[in-house]
Amino acid sequence: ATLVDLQGCGTALDSAELVPSRLSGVALWPWLRYRHRRSYSAVDLAAAEYAPLTDECLVFSAVLGEVPPADRLVALTAQASGEANAVVWVWEADLDDSGAPPLTNAPWAARTHWRQAVKLLPERRAVGEGEPLSLEVASGGGGGLAFALR
């Protein structure tokens, strides 16, 4: 996961509820109140306007079918100054023991129908380069991820 300053959606296929967006010149923000997603949204990082504020970090590792990981606090250090307003994360799944590359939605991987996942933080916060940060990660018992900056 990476803490980011998200400034603009990637493509028209991305979730317009993230930031004020336009599609073919039509402003989408009047409809944002009807388009709230409780879990997360998808964004194409290759086309999005954002600034990473931290290095990428491993949030958790899980095995399909086992108990979801416990909630945790992840220590981060801001690598840039900006307004922390979202968390972007990617996943990878090792589907077998063959040694084949894992299936992933990372922006550097072969393109699939999966894009990167993003969740807006409950509160925006200005962060300074070098500032120590704590990211609260809640797995929701396997029902969805939630993040908060502490």
Side-chain angles (χ1 to χ4, degrees), residues 92-103:
E92 67 178 44
D94 187 0
L95 302 174
D96 58 32
D97 294 327
S98 70
L103 180 63

Side-chain angles (χ1 to χ4, degrees), residues 40-59:
Y40 67 91
S41 299
V43 66
D44 181 0
L45 285 183
E49 297 173 45
Y50 73 102
L53 300 176
T54 64
D55 289 335
E56 188 175 312
C57 69
L58 179 65
V59 174

Side-chain angles (χ1 to χ4, degrees), residues 3-6 51 53-54 78 80-87 119-128 133 135 149:
L3 193 61
V4 300
D5 181 350
L6 185 65
L53 300 176
T54 64
S81 296
E83 184 178 67
N85 63 1
V87 174
K119 178 133 176 110
L120 295 177
L121 292 170
E123 296 179 14
R124 299 169 178 253
R125 182 170 135 199
V127 299
L133 304 167
L135 183 65
L149 197 52

Side-chain angles (χ1 to χ4, degrees), residues 17 28-37:
E17 71 272 15
L28 299 177
W29 48 88
W31 292 281
L32 295 186
R33 71 179 128 217
Y34 306 109
R35 180 92 171 101
H36 176 72
R37 293 187 68 166

